[in-house]
Amino acid sequence: MWAAPRKRFIQIIMTTEADFQKFVDDGYLIIKDFLSEADINEIEQKCYDIVQEMNPNEHTLQTFSTSEDDQNKKRNNYFMESADKIRFFFEKQAVNEKGDLTVDKHKALNKIGHALHVLDPVFKKVTHSQLIQRVAKNLGFKKPVVVQSMYIFKSPHVGGEVVPHQDSTFLYTEPMNILGFWIPLEDCTLENSCLHFIPGSHKNGVSRRMIKAEDGVSTTFVGPLLEFDNDKFIPAEVEKGSLVLIHGEVVHKSEHNYSEKSRHVYTFHIAETEDTKWSKENWLQESNSMKFPPLYQ
Ligand SMILES: O=C(O)CCC(=O)C(=O)O
């Protein structure tokens, strides 16, 4: 899959052969100046408009009830049914026990997911842009589909930690052929909790999988939860408009955002379909009404 760099790839996205080799070696790659200021503004404005129209009571209050079981069931359903929808996931710290927001709704969200790339024209356009298509082609993807998209907020003070993980834990294919596109819309630094990677950690397979539980409406983990040496993580500080390519098996994380600054990101994942099987055990499944869209024909 991760073929040798081609000249075209290097010319088009203006990186060097050494950079490309870095992706193969490290499992991630930062490409500067990928999106224009106009594109960034358009995405941010679109997200603002989506949140502006959203009534938090319809998305948080319904996940709260007096019974813990009932509450968990509603939360699970809300998540499990989000593959073909635009749904709103709030930060734990931004919602009190009654289900009321403790901060402005624009600063209370953890993320929006998981079908922005299908249902919203702006996100669709960015996801299927020629530049993105060329990156995937030049990395050797033959028939990739876009399986999910997310707008991540990492809001000031409430933006929660993302524990060390591999994306293929959640999006599993056989053989493993997952690639994440992670596009910061604001500068990401140590202060507002940039990503951290363990370079080279994509070479040892996937230790743990999240699969649909027997009840069909919740998820469970199988496989050991590995401990990672904190000293091995390298911070990836990036400027807004960069593209961070994330190999499906590279271990990465981000810390809680205790700063005054948000850290907005648009991210999506592609999966190969040629000679590759999407696991029926993944929480994320295409439905009859919404098939995973091809990145290109
Ligand atoms: O944006 C972040 O902080 C983490 C995102 C991430 O790890 C993921 O989407 O897999």
Side-chain angles (χ1 to χ4, degrees), residues 148 150 152 154 160 162-163 165-167 170 182 193-195 246 252-255 263 265 267 269:
Q148 68 167 11
M150 297 181 280
I152 297 176
K154 205 72 153 181
V162 176
V163 296
H165 67 280
Q166 299 166 293
D167 292 343
F170 307 94
W182 193 92
S193 300
C194 60
L195 288 178
I246 305 179
H252 57 291
K253 67 167 188 176
S254 67
E255 305 288 349
R263 200 221 59 190
V265 166
T267 181
H269 288 85

Side-chain angles (χ1 to χ4, degrees), residues 110-179:
N110 171 288
K111 67 177 179 184
I112 302 177
H114 289 93
L116 286 161
H117 62 292
V118 176
L119 300 174
D120 182 88
V122 170
F123 289 99
K124 188 174 182 171
K125 183 179 73 180
V126 174
T127 309
H128 291 265
S129 74
Q130 280 199 357
L131 223 46
I132 295 281
Q133 292 181 12
R134 283 177 192 152
V135 170
K137 274 183 193 160
N138 286 294
L139 283 170
F141 279 86
K142 302 263 182 340
K143 289 185 183 167
V145 289
V146 186
V147 295
Q148 68 167 11
S149 53
M150 297 181 280
Y151 192 102
I152 297 176
F153 293 80
K154 205 72 153 181
S155 286
H157 307 294
V158 297
E161 171 192 18
V162 176
V163 296
H165 67 280
Q166 299 166 293
D167 292 343
S168 293
T169 289
F170 307 94
L171 311 170
Y172 191 76
T173 62
E174 280 175 0
M176 278 179 283
N177 272 330
I178 293 289
L179 177 68

Side-chain angles (χ1 to χ4, degrees), residues 19-81:
D19 276 346
F20 183 87
Q21 192 55 45
K22 207 168 154 43
F23 175 74
V24 174
D25 292 343
D26 292 349
Y28 67 100
L29 177 68
I30 299 164
I31 299 161
K32 280 180 160 192
D33 300 323
F34 190 76
L35 272 197
S36 68
E37 193 75 28
D39 286 337
I40 295 170
N41 292 342
E42 190 182 17
I43 300 172
E44 285 208 302
Q45 183 61 49
K46 188 64 211 223
C47 180
Y48 183 90
D49 294 344
I50 291 173
V51 177
Q52 191 62 15
E53 278 182 22
M54 176 265 300
N55 175 359
N57 295 339
E58 289 169 14
H59 301 277
T60 55
L61 292 177
Q62 67 157 352
T63 66
F64 282 80
S65 89
T66 45
S67 137
E68 186 128 322
D69 270 2
D70 203 26
Q71 185 172 314
N72 283 339
K73 214 160 136 192
K74 283 182 178 169
R75 276 210 197 105
N76 274 337
N77 288 346
Y78 188 76
F79 170 73
M80 295 290 276
E81 293 165 3

Side-chain angles (χ1 to χ4, degrees), residues 4 34 41 55 69 102 130 159 186 230 261 270 295:
F34 190 76
N41 292 342
N55 175 359
D69 270 2
T102 56
Q130 280 199 357
E186 296 177 298
N230 242 339
K261 296 179 184 162
I270 64 169
L295 184 62

